[in-house]
Structure formats: C-alpha cells, structure tokens
C-alpha cells in the first residue's frame, strides 16, 4: 500500500501521552519537545486541517510540581495532583500554540460526556464551535471530578471517543513505542513490527501485551481498544513514536508506525449509527417544502415542522415523516419534545424569544440527519 500522509486527512486528533510530555526524572515538562510538536501542528493548521489535541500529563505534572513520592497514587491523590497539573498543562499548550498565532481552548470531559446523548451533543457543539473559530481544542479527562464509574482512566480510549464524536478521519496516538509488534519488542529480539492492521483479529489483540511505561496508563491493550472504537466508526488510527522531535513530520517522512485502517468513512459510519442502531423516541411531521429541502441535503428548520409526537429528550433519535405520513428519514433532534413543540412552524430567528435561550437554528442539523431515497 502507499503510506497515507497526514494531509490526506481533513480532521485530525493527536493524542499525546504523559511520558512524552513530562520528564519524570527532572520533574518537569519537556518544553522543547512540545515546542517542536506545536510546529508540526501549526503546519497542518496552515494547511486548513481541523486539529484537536488530547493531552495527558495533568497527573504526572501535578505530581512533579507537588513532589509526590514515586509509586502508585491513591485516587484522591491523583485527582488532587491533576488539579495542580492541569493548570500548568493548559498554560503550556496555550503558550506553545500561541507562538504560531493559534488559539487553544481547554475542554475537560468525562466518559459520560461522550455517552449520554444530551451531554454528547453539547460537548460536540462546543468543540465544533472552537474548530469553526480555527482554535485548537486541547482535551483531557476531567480527572479532578471523574469518579470511577464516569472515568475513562486512560486517554487512548478518550481520544478514540473524541475522534468518533467529532467525525475525525484520523487519530494519531503519539506513544513511547512506534507501533504494534507481534511480541514485546523489549524482550523478544525477533519481534516483528506491523506497519498496517486492516482488521483487529483475536491474534492482533493477543499481540498487545499489557506493557506500559510507568507514567502512562495505557499500554498496547488500551491502544488496541482505541483502534477498535476508532476504525469501527470510520476513523483511521496510527500509532507512532513520540520519542523523536517533530513526530508528526516524522510520520510523513516515513517513520516506522502502525496504521489501523478505518472501516468506511466517519460520515457514513455516523449516518449508519443514526439510521440503524438508535431507537426513535418520537416523530416529527414536516411540510412539503421541508421535505424538498431535506432531499436537497439541507438541515431541518423549525419552520418546516408541523407536528411533534412522542416524548423525547434533546439528542434523541426521531423519525421524520412527510405530509402524507411516509417516512422521509431519521435524525437526532436538537430540542426536546416540549421545546420542539413551542418552536415548530416558527422562524429560527424567533427561537430565543420563544424559549428564552438561543438554541440551534436547526431542529435537526444535516450532520445528524439521514434522509432515505425517494
Ligand atoms: N488524564 C490523565 C492525565 O492527564 C492521563 C491518562 C493517561 O495517561 O492515559 O494525567
């Protein structure tokens, strides 16, 4: 195969591990490495790519600042350490990006924000807005508040969920290893590197031992979990070594790494998800003008909606029917049934005065909409 280049992708999530960012022995950030990474990010940004960073390092950095002893931390200790480290992390990213005139925006999420529909929609529209403003969202888990049941615990899977939530077409995991080997490379001299994985078979999973460095939580196993989430939702993933200066440039220059091929593309994967795997909670009946607009690929505006049935929440899947009752499509409604009822048939410009808050102009955004064939 021809190796992909980063500029082949439109929206790229770059995950940076703690052990790359934080020099444990010196107890401080690897500033020069981060500066070089920011140069690589800036080059992609200039090429009009959408960039998102998932950065670990809050706990490791907080631990260094607080001079906590080595060894595993209790949950409350690591949460408090993250509170200290996250501030430093955010400042570092802002500085590194602003040297290139790029604005960074800190987004802290928990597992729930990527799972519960309302929070998911919210997190997604916030991040979308940052991207629209050409800012770079710098994302981490909200370690200070996330209790075990709402925790990812590792940023590999968090990054994969962010990538799929944002319909990114590439996820780059910068790690302390340069990809997947068929045996642990540290101990087996004969270990063979895999440049490309098209399908995550049980053999591939078996290759991913639980090896990990001291600072990073995610060993190869969590990276394979991340690959499953990403590729299944149409996002290509690559594991590359971050132990070099300019690691992104390195990928384009043919550095050794492992590519995980996406199954389909993110848009079709998302649409498949909306069309097939979500239980519709209600029905919107729309007028003929709206049917025509939807078939042209437009969003559904409140003005075209004539009737609301069902008791759905914001972000729930609904069926869309035409004036004759025939199903036109399905989508995720940006309003709950009560609010939808109030704004149906009305101009989007009136939403704020009717509801008392300014919600989205669309009842269902076209990215959240699947329209069937006529
Ligand atoms: N969220 C954690 C931190 O910022 C890191 C988790 C991980 O390394 O995967 O410290």
């Amino acid at each position: 195969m021809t190796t992909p280049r980063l500029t082949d992708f439109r929206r790229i999530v770059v995950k940076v591990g703690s052990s790359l960012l934080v020099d444990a022995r010196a107890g401080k950030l690897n500033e020069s490495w981060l500066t070089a990474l920011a140069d690589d990010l800036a080059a992609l940004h200039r090429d009009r790519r959408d960039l998102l960073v998932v950065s670990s390092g809050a706990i490791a950095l907080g631990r260094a600042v607080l001079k906590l002893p080595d060894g595993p931390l209790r949950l409350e200790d690591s949460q408090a350490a993250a509170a200290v480290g996250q501030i430093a992390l955010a400042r570092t990213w802002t500085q590194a990006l602003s040297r290139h005139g790029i604005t960074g925006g800190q987004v802290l999420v928990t597992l729930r924000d990527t799972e519960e529909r309302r929070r998911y929609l919210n997190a997604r529209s916030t991040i979308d807005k940052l991207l629209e403003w050409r800012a770079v969202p710098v994302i981490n888990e909200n370690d200070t508040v996330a209790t075990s049941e709402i925790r990812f615990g590792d940023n590999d899977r968090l990054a994969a969920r962010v990538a799929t939530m944002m319909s990114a077409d590439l996820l780059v995991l910068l790690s302390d290893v340069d990809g997947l080997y068929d045996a642990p490379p540290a101990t087996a001299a004969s270990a063979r590197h895999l440049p490309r994985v098209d399908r995550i078979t049980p053999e591939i999973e078996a290759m991913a031992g639980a090896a990990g460095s001291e600072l990073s939580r995610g060993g190869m196993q969590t990276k394979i979990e991340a690959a499953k989430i990403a590729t299944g939702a149409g996002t290509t993933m690559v594991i590359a070594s971050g132990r070099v200066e300019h690691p992104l440039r390195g990928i384009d220059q043919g550095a050794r790494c492992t590519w995980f091929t996406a199954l389909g593309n993110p848009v079709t994967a998302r649409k498949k998800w909306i069309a097939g795997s979500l239980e519709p909670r209600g029905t919107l009946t729309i007028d003929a003008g709206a049917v025509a607009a939807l078939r042209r690929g437009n969003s559904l505006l409140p003005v075209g909606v004539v009737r609301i049935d069902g008791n759905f929440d914001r972000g729930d899947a609904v069926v869309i029917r035409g004036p004759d009752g025939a199903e036109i499509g399905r989508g995720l409604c940006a309003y709950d049934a009560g609010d939808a009822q109030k704004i149906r048939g009305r101009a989007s410009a009136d939403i704020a005065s009717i509801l008392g808050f300014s919600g989205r102009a669309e009842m269902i955004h076209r990215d959240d909409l699947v329209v069937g064939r006529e």
Side-chain angles (χ1 to χ4, degrees):
M1 71 159 191
T2 52
T3 313
R5 294 180 60 89
L6 296 181
T7 44
D8 295 342
F9 300 91
R10 174 187 59 84
R11 180 169 285 185
I12 305 169
V13 177
V14 178
K15 184 257 172 179
V16 182
S18 301
S19 59
L20 299 174
L21 267 174
V22 183
D23 180 341
R25 253 169 303 162
K28 61 180 186 58
L29 263 163
N30 279 325
E31 301 252 4
S32 66
W33 180 83
L34 182 62
T35 306
L37 173 62
D39 293 346
D40 290 3
L41 289 167
L44 287 165
H45 193 263
R46 275 194 300 276
D47 273 341
R48 307 297 299 167
R49 296 303 183 271
D50 289 343
L51 296 177
L52 300 94
V53 170
V54 172
S55 178
S56 306
I59 298 172
L61 205 55
R63 162 176 214 148
V65 172
L66 294 161
K67 302 194 170 43
L68 300 180
D70 290 346
L73 293 177
R74 285 203 309 265
L75 183 63
E76 65 265 33
D77 293 343
S78 56
Q79 292 190 301
V84 172
Q86 185 62 40
I87 295 188
L89 195 58
R91 187 184 53 230
T92 308
W93 274 108
T94 313
Q95 282 169 351
L97 293 169
S98 67
R99 282 183 49 249
H100 299 276
I102 301 172
T103 308
Q106 173 178 272
V107 182
L108 299 178
V109 296
T110 63
L111 183 61
R112 282 210 180 140
D113 301 318
T114 67
E115 282 196 335
E116 272 175 33
R117 299 245 186 85
R118 291 179 55 197
R119 288 166 169 264
Y120 174 97
L121 273 193
N122 240 3
R124 194 156 64 93
S125 40
T126 304
I127 297 173
D128 256 334
K129 187 49 85 179
L130 288 168
L131 294 173
E132 194 185 307
W133 289 339
R134 300 297 298 146
V136 172
V138 178
I139 303 163
N140 195 0
E141 181 157 23
N142 196 345
D143 292 311
T144 55
V145 298
T147 52
S148 52
E149 69 275 17
I150 62 163
R151 247 176 102 74
F152 279 98
D154 70 82
N155 277 7
D156 293 323
R157 283 179 306 163
L158 169 70
R161 292 299 285 267
V162 165
T164 63
M165 177 168 82
M166 299 313 298
S167 307
D169 44 6
L170 179 66
L171 166 61
V172 181
L173 296 186
L174 293 180
S175 162
D176 46 11
V177 287
D178 55 7
L180 181 67
Y181 288 78
D182 63 358
T187 49
S190 61
R192 200 171 53 88
H193 176 265
L194 281 77
R196 173 173 166 170
V197 174
D198 286 323
R199 227 160 51 81
I200 299 160
T201 57
E203 291 74 43
I204 295 289
E205 293 194 54
M207 287 173 196
S213 68
E214 199 190 328
L215 279 178
S216 54
R217 285 161 180 281
M220 196 46 79
Q221 264 161 359
T222 68
K223 293 185 173 44
I224 297 297
E225 284 304 315
K228 281 201 235 167
I229 297 169
T231 58
T235 305
T236 299
M237 189 181 105
V238 59
I239 302 178
S241 172
R243 291 234 166 275
V244 290
E245 294 258 303
H246 298 291
L248 298 179
R249 195 191 291 171
I251 295 175
D252 273 343
Q253 290 172 346
R256 179 182 270 200
C257 44
T258 302
W259 289 88
F260 294 81
T261 316
L263 315 168
N265 72 52
V267 177
T268 47
R270 184 171 162 74
K271 300 238 160 175
K272 220 190 283 169
W273 174 66
I274 292 169
S277 49
L278 295 174
E279 187 64 29
R281 294 287 157 85
T283 304
L284 307 185
T285 306
I286 64 175
D287 63 23
V291 172
L294 258 50
R295 294 218 159 109
R296 284 196 303 271
N298 293 331
S299 299
L300 175 63
L301 301 178
V303 71
V305 180
V306 292
R307 190 188 150 124
I308 314 274
D309 293 287
N311 185 12
F312 48 88
D313 276 329
R314 185 169 168 240
D316 277 346
V318 293
V319 173
I320 302 157
R321 295 191 186 281
D324 57 355
E327 179 167 337
I328 305 296
R330 292 178 178 215
L332 307 183
C333 192
Y335 290 92
D336 64 30
D339 286 346
Q341 193 65 261
K342 290 185 199 142
I343 59 171
R344 91 184 143 79
R346 307 288 296 267
S348 298
D350 297 338
I351 294 177
S353 62
I354 300 168
L355 298 180
F357 64 89
S358 47
R360 293 187 81 148
E362 308 86 14
M363 182 94 76
I364 302 181
H365 190 273
R366 60 197 167 106
D367 292 349
D368 297 332
L369 191 64
V370 186
V371 179
R373 283 176 216 280
E374 245 177 296

